[in-house]
Amino acid sequence: VSDDVTDVGAVLTDKIVKARKDHKCVECRKTINKGEMYRYEVIKNDDLNVFKTCADCNSVREHLVCFFYYGEIWWLIEENISEYGDQQPWSKIGRLTPVARERVCKIIEDSWRDDEKVIK
Ligand SMILES: [Zn+2]
């Protein structure tokens, strides 16, 4: 899913790097700790924008979403789950990092709980 030009602008840098200091993930807002691997991207549109995505969110991005806006991956996952219910790409979910998989499964479980409420 890597074009040279996306909707948001031209990709100048897109690589997996090791954190030399703490960063914040653009998707889940969690801290990317020093020493952890994360995805570092520089996108040029009107300005230069730097996006840092933790390994967990990056696995979700690579396996579960095709089109997205930065910072909206988890919102997108929740939308998909509430829309398609049981028709989830389970084999793809199996390829996520354990942390990401747990979070996706939690969202699915929560959606089931919401369904139960509707039935009652
Ligand atoms: Zn993250």
Side-chain angles (χ1 to χ4, degrees):
V1 203
S2 58
D3 282 320
D4 283 333
V5 179
T6 69
D7 286 351
V8 283
V11 179
L12 300 186
T13 305
D14 181 0
K15 57 186 177 182
I16 304 292
V17 295
K18 194 175 190 178
R20 270 174 288 186
K21 59 187 180 100
D22 288 0
H23 297 291
K24 191 171 256 188
C25 173
V26 66
E27 301 298 340
C28 66
R29 306 272 153 201
K30 273 193 273 193
T31 302
I32 299 165
N33 294 304
K34 185 181 170 188
E36 286 177 355
M37 303 303 285
Y38 71 100
R39 187 169 183 168
Y40 174 86
E41 290 166 288
V42 182
I43 312 285
K44 185 181 186 301
N45 38 42
D46 294 338
D47 301 304
L48 278 184
N49 293 293
V50 176
F51 298 101
K52 294 158 187 162
T53 309
C54 73
D56 298 318
C57 294
N58 191 49
S59 79
V60 171
R61 200 174 123 180
E62 288 191 334
H63 297 299
L64 290 184
V65 298
C66 302
F67 303 100
F68 69 97
Y69 292 104
Y70 289 99
E72 294 191 353
I73 282 180
W74 287 104
W75 176 82
L76 202 64
I77 296 293
E78 286 186 31
E79 285 291 293
N80 279 344
I81 288 170
S82 67
E83 191 163 342
Y84 297 108
D86 285 344
Q87 294 171 313
Q88 295 302 320
W90 299 108
S91 60
K92 289 182 181 171
I93 290 172
R95 273 179 244 146
L96 303 177
T97 65
V99 171
R101 196 161 58 215
E102 199 172 305
R103 185 163 173 182
V104 170
C105 289
K106 173 94 170 47
I107 296 171
I108 293 172
E109 279 177 30
D110 286 351
S111 77
W112 288 341
R113 212 161 292 142
D114 289 345
D115 288 348
E116 282 170 24
K117 271 184 223 148
V118 175
I119 295 166
K120 284 167 193 167

